[in-house]
């Protein structure tokens, strides 16, 4: 509750400090919706069903959308694509975490994909989201913002996305007769987690280079 109150106060402070401009009002609304969905929906849902992963990824993907809205004053395609990239990226990232730490999650009563559906299903879900990651990131190249994305970002998004997908697919190589061992899943999930940590700053670096050129 204290965290929720602090977040609300912070959002209101941003609104007041911004002299009540429309841009801060839009960012404020988006931020408040993110806080409410995280505290009011995701937090209780994670003890009931693994679908909480999808719900929690929504407020988790809001920061770049808030930033875009705050700078441009509009809620349009580039901001929504940035939101989508972070949303999709979170799925294999947190599936990897939930595999490595599944015993801790189970002990805490948190319902995760590997804990409820099993390791094989978790791997297939990670693969499905990893397939979506490259086209989602490349969608930013289709926006009509001048000097925003170019060749550097396009190559970076393609190579990083395909490399991440390749690592996800590699997780199926150690399965025996369609079954997964805990040790094998842990090794793969740890590698996928590290790759996800590397992927995001590499993608942002590609975008930053294009903007600066």
């Amino acid at each position: 509750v204290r965290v929720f109150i602090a977040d609300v106060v912070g959002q209101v402070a941003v609104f007041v400090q911004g002299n009540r401009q429309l841009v801060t009002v839009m960012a404020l609304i988006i931020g408040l919706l993110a806080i409410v969905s995280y505290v009011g929906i995701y937090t209780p849902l994670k003890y009931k069903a693994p679908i909480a992963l999808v719900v929690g990824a929504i407020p988790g993907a809001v920061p770049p959308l808030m930033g875009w809205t705050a700078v441009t004053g509009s809620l349009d395609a580039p901001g929504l694509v940035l939101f989508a990239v972070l949303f999709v990226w979170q799925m294999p990232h947190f599936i990897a975490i939930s595999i490595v730490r599944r015993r801790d999650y189970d002990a805490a009563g948190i319902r995760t994909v590997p804990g409820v559906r099993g390791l094989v299903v978790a791997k297939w879900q990670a693969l499905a989201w990893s397939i979506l990651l490259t086209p989602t990131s490349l969608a930013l190249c289709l926006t009509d913002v001048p000097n925003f994305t170019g060749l550097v970002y396009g190559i970076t998004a393609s190579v990083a996305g395909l490399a991440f997908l390749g690592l996800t697919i590699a997780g199926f190589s150690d399965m025996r007769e369609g079954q997964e061992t805990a040790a094998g899943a842990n090794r793969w999930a740890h590698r996928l987690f590290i790759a996800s940590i590397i992927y995001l700053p590499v993608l942002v670096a590609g975008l930053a280079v294009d903007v600066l050129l």
Side-chain angles (χ1 to χ4, degrees):
V1 175
R2 284 180 293 180
V3 173
F4 175 76
I5 294 174
D7 282 334
V8 172
V9 171
Q11 295 285 355
V12 173
V14 169
F15 172 74
V16 173
Q17 199 123 30
N19 296 319
R20 305 187 178 219
Q21 297 174 359
L22 177 61
V23 55
T24 55
V25 172
M26 294 179 67
L28 172 67
I29 293 172
I30 294 172
L32 288 176
L33 288 175
I35 294 168
V36 170
S37 65
Y38 186 89
V39 176
I41 302 176
Y42 165 73
T43 299
L45 186 61
K46 67 183 180 181
Y47 294 101
K48 300 181 182 299
I51 192 66
L53 172 63
V54 178
V55 176
I58 296 174
V62 158
L65 179 59
M66 286 183 64
W68 182 269
T69 303
V71 171
T72 65
S74 60
L75 184 64
D76 47 19
L80 293 172
V81 173
L82 291 171
F83 169 88
V85 170
L86 198 57
F87 176 85
V88 173
W89 169 84
Q90 287 178 88
M91 298 303 174
H93 172 76
F94 282 108
I95 286 174
I97 294 175
S98 63
I99 290 176
V100 174
R101 296 296 182 185
R102 64 187 177 280
R103 290 183 179 177
D104 295 332
Y105 282 119
D106 290 346
I110 297 175
R111 311 284 281 176
T112 64
V113 175
V116 176
R117 307 297 183 194
L119 294 172
V120 175
V121 172
K123 280 193 171 185
W124 279 109
Q125 288 196 15
L127 176 61
W129 288 109
S130 297
I131 291 172
L132 289 175
L133 192 56
T134 300
T136 302
S137 61
L138 288 175
L140 204 58
C141 298
L142 302 178
T143 58
D144 57 356
V145 180
N147 304 318
F148 188 48
T149 57
L151 184 61
V152 174
Y153 174 79
I155 293 175
T156 301
S158 299
V159 173
L162 292 175
F164 191 82
L165 176 59
L167 182 58
T168 308
I169 294 173
F172 292 87
S173 63
D174 59 356
M175 292 175 58
R176 299 178 179 177
E177 298 180 355
Q179 300 299 314
E180 178 61 275
T181 63
N186 279 352
R187 288 193 298 269
W188 168 80
H190 182 73
R191 291 194 297 267
L192 188 66
F193 170 74
I194 297 299
S196 69
I197 295 296
I198 296 172
Y199 171 86
L200 209 54
V202 167
L203 190 71
V204 173
L207 181 59
V209 171
D210 257 343
V211 172
L212 293 173
L213 291 179

